[in-house]
Amino acid sequence: RKEVEQDPGPFNVPEGATVAFNCTYSNSASQSFFWYRQDCRKEPKLLMSVYSSGNEDGRFTAQLNRASQYISLLIRDSKLSDSATYLCVVNWGRRALTFGSGTRLQVQP
Amino acid sequence: ETGVTQTPRHLVMGMTNKKSLKCEQHLGHNAMYWYKQSAKKPLELMFVYSLEERVENNSVPSRFSPECPNSSHLFLHLHTLQPEDSALYLCASSQELGQPQHFGDGTRLSIL
């Protein structure tokens, strides 16, 4: 089983739609969680941390479910500029973060 | 504007060449990392440094040799690479180990 698993997509959605991605992780001792965004042929950039109580940043909402070992990212009112690959990232006390292979989102006009 | 700068941005080299990738971070971070990203694969962690000391080496072939002369600079020395080593090589830094990382733009490496 992969340490961090994501649906590769692509998710093709129209502008204005709401879209959600899930990510599952294998290690129950995982301590911290993040979503990164990576544009085509660019470096990953931190989008948001994920907190136990869930957190929101504008149109983006992140949730954590420790019992089921998954995190989610919800994007409301999708923009064309949201088109990218979204990377789920987990840290279980190792020295470095563990990245999922990403979910590709394509927002269409 | 990224606080992590990588050079060169693109590199084409033959299998017998020796070259080095450079990474510099201007964020005052204590930890630095090298990752490899191949097409349609997740990021693969290669090396981790904390305060100039290598703390992780993930079974990387010896043809890749890292060097961290100080907490702001990280190098990846390359020699006798193979075609399968063609990939995007990303450098990242974080305040401390395990914290969110800031990435450089990467070096796109092609081995002929």
Side-chain angles (χ1 to χ4, degrees):
Chain A
R1 185 183 170 186
K2 289 182 185 176
E3 294 175 317
V4 179
E5 202 145 2
Q6 295 184 252
D7 180 344
F11 284 58
N12 295 304
V13 303
E15 269 187 290
T18 296
V19 61
F21 314 131
N22 280 348
C23 160
T24 57
Y25 58 94
S26 61
N27 192 326
S28 59
S30 297
Q31 299 171 352
S32 49
F33 309 87
F34 311 93
W35 283 102
Y36 275 69
R37 169 193 170 131
Q38 186 171 23
D39 292 288
C40 188
R41 302 181 75 82
K42 297 273 197 172
E43 78 279 13
K45 291 184 179 176
L46 179 65
L47 179 66
M48 59 196 301
S49 301
V50 186
Y51 302 118
S52 297
S53 54
N55 49 298
E56 192 173 300
D57 183 359
R59 297 180 294 108
F60 299 84
T61 301
Q63 298 274 356
L64 167 64
N65 186 319
R66 285 192 184 273
S68 301
Q69 293 182 207
Y70 77 83
I71 67 173
S72 63
L73 178 68
L74 180 81
I75 306 176
R76 289 182 299 279
D77 189 22
S78 300
K79 312 287 185 196
L80 294 176
S81 56
D82 294 334
S83 297
T85 296
Y86 290 84
L87 304 170
C88 171
V89 184
V90 176
N91 179 29
W92 49 76
R94 285 178 62 194
R95 297 181 173 97
L97 307 177
T98 301
F99 286 75
S101 48
T103 297
R104 195 156 68 89
L105 171 67
Q106 185 66 48
V107 181
Q108 295 162 338
Chain B
E1 181 71 33
T2 178
V4 181
T5 305
Q6 287 187 245
T7 54
R9 293 292 303 278
H10 302 273
L11 178 61
V12 180
M13 58 188 283
M15 288 191 283
T16 58
N17 291 156
K18 286 186 181 181
K19 296 285 184 184
S20 295
L21 310 186
K22 179 182 174 183
C23 176
E24 183 176 359
Q25 59 98 358
H26 315 277
L27 301 168
H29 287 170
N30 293 321
M32 296 187 77
Y33 313 79
W34 277 118
Y35 287 88
K36 175 184 178 182
Q37 189 172 38
S38 305
K40 301 190 189 299
K41 285 188 172 182
L43 284 166
E44 297 173 52
L45 179 66
M46 299 176 74
F47 301 104
V48 181
Y49 277 83
S50 175
L51 297 171
E52 302 129 58
E53 181 183 338
R54 190 191 311 181
V55 296
E56 190 157 333
N57 174 354
N58 275 5
S59 303
V60 179
S62 59
R63 57 186 184 269
F64 294 92
S65 174
E67 179 191 358
C68 189
N70 55 63
S71 59
S72 299
H73 293 85
L74 187 63
F75 295 89
L76 187 63
H77 304 299
L78 317 170
H79 66 99
T80 58
L81 295 193
Q82 305 298 308
E84 62 265 27
D85 296 324
S86 297
L88 179 68
Y89 287 84
L90 289 159
C91 173
S93 71
S94 63
Q95 186 62 57
E96 304 294 343
L97 292 171
Q99 292 188 346
Q101 295 163 6
H102 297 257
F103 285 83
D105 292 336
T107 294
R108 193 160 294 280
L109 176 65
S110 298
I111 306 301
L112 302 178

